[in-house]
Amino acid sequence: MDNLISNSNLINEQLARYGVKFGIYKNGVFNERLFPYDPIPRVISASDWEYLKTGLVQRVTALNMFLADIYSKKQIVADGVVPEDFVFSSSGYLAQVEGLEPPHSVYSHISGIDLVQAKDGDWFILEDNLRIPSGASYPLIARSLERKCSPQTFVDNHVVDNRSYGTMLKDVMDDMNCGGINVVFTPGRYNAAYFEHAYLAEQTGSVLCQPEDLFVENNVVYCKTLNGKERVGAIYRRISDEYLDPLSFLPESLIGIPGVMSAYRAGNVALLNAPGNGAADDKGIYYFVPKMISYYLGQDAILKNAPTYLPFYEEDRKYVLDNLEKLVIKDVAEAGGYGVVFGRDLDSGKLDEMKQLVKSQPRRWIAQEVIDFKDLEIMDEGRKVERKADLRAFVLTGKTCQVWASGLTRFSRNPASFVVNSSQGGGFKDTWILDK
């Protein structure tokens, strides 16, 4: 590990040379910056990983069953497990995909599940990201550079090889493919995660396509090539639902594929992830995931949610209003660390404002107990310091559901902050899963 620490500047220089950056829009201006790498890995034991892996497969399986249900029979709503108003008022719910069953009934092919480990060792799920979760490329390329600097490190420490991600993702695309080539669909280089789009296209042997490269004829998607047009069978799309097809969603979208939803509905192309997944990763729906696991699988949830309150319910609302100063409040429609408010950081005036918002828009918010999650060591100007860190685990679902033996560990560079998101200035480190 000392070799990695001594070579961390070199690795960061290589990451910059490869264009491993994260783009941020702020005040209407796009800025690219290096996604800072830290050389001290997060280490997860083989036994801890087996526990996490089992719980993650259980959770994503139930979430896929929930999506299949609410876009067809809606049995979970009819049985009163999840309130009807809660499901269909979600900004992520899309009436346009009602009754549309994707290949093999899989909705979330690439799930990014965010976890934290409390100081007592317990793991908690913070969020389920089922739309277009990003981040797998960063530990992949970091590990490849680490291995060049110090190959013996990984032999001596019995670290599970993480190079399988590209193969796993390709297998999922092949499983879903409706006949044709696989493509990774990017809106272009000004997207925050453009580096990842290009990198994963290379890793999976897919064609990297921008909006002008794809078109639809007779409900079939084609890619423009030097040799004419080639049929597309699976699209790993890295573009939000609302921009995907101007004929079905936002008509002003210039970065979508006109008619792609008709091709999808006709069964001629697979979309990974499926449109409409936002109905399951709404932060309010998160509250109900343990109930989904019990309802669909007849099992207790292996991985715990953070203790969560829904102001939508009167009893929870009263608790939140009485205890706001010690809770964290989240806007259910926000992502990337935005819309997160720690009650302890608010003065009396701001607390009153927040209480009024919770009272007037109870569906908009969830509240959670603040988990004092584990600090991990990072290098800061040549010395070791501790900072808050989370883990994004990647669960890939094709004909089978598998967890990638790695993950994106993000950390806060601010010693006072619990927010670790890349868009909020955090960095990342490699995640070592130890072999048995």
Side-chain angles (χ1 to χ4, degrees), residues 13 15 87 128 142 148 222 246-247 296 300 326 368 420 428:
E13 287 170 11
L15 291 171
V87 174
D128 305 295
K148 288 178 183 177
Y222 294 97
L247 301 182
Y296 292 118
D300 292 332
K326 62 182 185 183
Q368 293 178 328
V420 301
F428 82 100

Side-chain angles (χ1 to χ4, degrees), residues 48-235:
D48 266 9
W49 185 247
E50 282 302 312
Y51 163 74
L52 289 174
K53 192 166 65 170
T54 306
L56 288 164
V57 168
Q58 179 197 58
R59 191 174 182 96
V60 170
T61 299
L63 284 163
N64 265 308
M65 294 173 77
F66 172 71
L67 285 161
D69 187 2
I70 62 164
Y71 284 116
S72 58
K73 296 179 180 178
K74 304 172 179 54
Q75 199 61 48
I76 197 168
V77 175
D79 290 341
V81 179
V82 183
E84 181 177 15
D85 289 349
F86 222 86
V87 174
F88 304 122
S89 66
S90 169
S91 61
Y93 176 80
L94 297 181
Q96 294 93 329
V97 299
E98 186 69 41
L100 200 168
E101 184 179 358
H104 302 288
S105 295
V106 178
Y107 285 77
S108 187
H109 310 87
I110 304 98
S111 307
I113 310 298
D114 294 346
L115 309 97
V116 293
Q117 187 176 23
K119 289 185 174 177
D120 65 3
D122 281 348
W123 288 88
F124 292 90
I125 303 284
L126 282 189
E127 286 185 9
D128 305 295
N129 299 280
L130 311 181
R131 303 186 207 201
I132 42 174
S134 64
S137 64
Y138 302 110
L140 262 178
I141 193 167
R143 179 78 63 86
S144 70
L145 294 172
E146 290 169 343
R147 198 180 289 108
K148 288 178 183 177
C149 289
S150 183
Q152 194 62 33
T153 295
F154 298 93
V155 176
D156 294 343
N157 289 282
H158 306 286
V159 181
V160 176
D161 197 324
N162 76 344
R163 283 175 284 191
S164 60
Y165 188 81
T167 301
M168 291 171 69
L169 181 55
K170 181 183 185 303
D171 287 346
V172 170
M173 296 174 79
D174 288 345
D175 284 349
M176 299 299 120
N177 193 293
C178 299
I181 61 171
N182 293 329
V183 306
V184 175
F185 178 47
T186 175
R189 72 165 304 275
Y190 290 108
N191 182 270
Y194 178 70
F195 158 77
E196 176 160 284
H197 306 169
Y199 189 72
L200 292 181
E202 178 187 353
Q203 290 289 306
T204 58
S206 303
V207 180
L208 181 67
C209 291
Q210 298 193 33
E212 61 271 19
D213 299 322
L214 299 173
F215 64 96
V216 177
E217 281 183 357
N218 299 320
N219 288 340
V220 175
V221 182
Y222 294 97
C223 174
K224 298 174 186 174
T225 72
L226 293 175
N227 299 317
K229 64 184 184 182
E230 194 162 357
R231 180 171 174 170
V232 175
I235 300 174

Side-chain angles (χ1 to χ4, degrees), residues 173-337:
M173 296 174 79
D174 288 345
D175 284 349
M176 299 299 120
N177 193 293
C178 299
I181 61 171
N182 293 329
V183 306
V184 175
F185 178 47
T186 175
R189 72 165 304 275
Y190 290 108
N191 182 270
Y194 178 70
F195 158 77
E196 176 160 284
H197 306 169
Y199 189 72
L200 292 181
E202 178 187 353
Q203 290 289 306
T204 58
S206 303
V207 180
L208 181 67
C209 291
Q210 298 193 33
E212 61 271 19
D213 299 322
L214 299 173
F215 64 96
V216 177
E217 281 183 357
N218 299 320
N219 288 340
V220 175
V221 182
Y222 294 97
C223 174
K224 298 174 186 174
T225 72
L226 293 175
N227 299 317
K229 64 184 184 182
E230 194 162 357
R231 180 171 174 170
V232 175
I235 300 174
Y236 176 24
R237 50 98 179 198
R238 299 299 298 262
I239 180 173
S240 298
D241 289 350
E242 62 268 31
Y243 300 107
L244 184 58
D245 184 346
L247 301 182
S248 296
F249 305 117
L250 285 178
E252 60 269 32
S253 172
L254 300 177
I255 55 173
I257 311 166
V260 72
M261 287 300 295
S262 296
Y264 179 54
R265 187 173 289 278
N268 293 329
V269 71
L271 295 176
L272 295 75
N273 280 334
N277 280 10
D281 74 3
D282 178 304
K283 288 183 176 67
I285 291 294
Y286 160 95
Y287 175 91
F288 297 98
V289 178
K291 297 176 186 287
M292 290 177 202
I293 292 169
S294 175
Y295 180 78
Y296 292 118
L297 303 176
Q299 301 167 357
D300 292 332
I302 295 168
L303 292 170
K304 305 172 187 175
N305 276 14
T308 304
Y309 307 94
L310 281 189
F312 179 80
Y313 293 124
E314 185 177 349
E315 184 179 349
D316 281 16
R317 185 164 64 250
K318 184 178 186 308
Y319 179 85
V320 171
L321 294 173
D322 289 345
N323 296 276
L324 194 63
E325 66 280 355
K326 62 182 185 183
L327 300 172
V328 56
I329 313 299
K330 296 181 179 181
D331 188 325
V332 301
E334 293 283 2

Side-chain angles (χ1 to χ4, degrees), residues 311-418:
F312 179 80
Y313 293 124
E314 185 177 349
E315 184 179 349
D316 281 16
R317 185 164 64 250
K318 184 178 186 308
Y319 179 85
V320 171
L321 294 173
D322 289 345
N323 296 276
L324 194 63
E325 66 280 355
K326 62 182 185 183
L327 300 172
V328 56
I329 313 299
K330 296 181 179 181
D331 188 325
V332 301
E334 293 283 2
Y338 295 99
V340 176
V341 178
F342 285 83
R344 66 189 178 203
D345 296 336
L346 302 178
D347 59 29
S348 58
K350 292 292 184 184
L351 271 172
D352 286 341
E353 282 181 30
M354 192 73 241
K355 287 179 181 179
Q356 290 305 315
L357 282 171
V358 171
K359 286 179 186 176
S360 62
Q361 303 175 63
R363 170 63 177 86
R364 180 181 169 186
W365 310 95
I366 64 168
Q368 293 178 328
E369 302 286 352
V370 178
I371 297 172
D372 190 12
F373 55 96
K374 203 171 182 178
D375 299 273
L376 298 182
E377 283 188 336
I378 70 165
M379 296 301 298
D380 183 25
E381 297 182 352
R383 61 192 180 95
K384 291 181 180 179
V385 298
E386 293 191 336
R387 296 289 185 266
K388 297 299 179 190
D390 77 350
L391 171 67
R392 174 165 291 181
F394 291 89
V395 185
L396 280 74
T397 309
K399 291 179 180 176
T400 59
C401 185
Q402 301 179 72
V403 185
W404 179 41
S406 188
L408 175 66
T409 293
R410 301 173 296 184
F411 62 88
S412 171
R413 292 193 293 169
N414 178 349
S417 178
F418 279 61

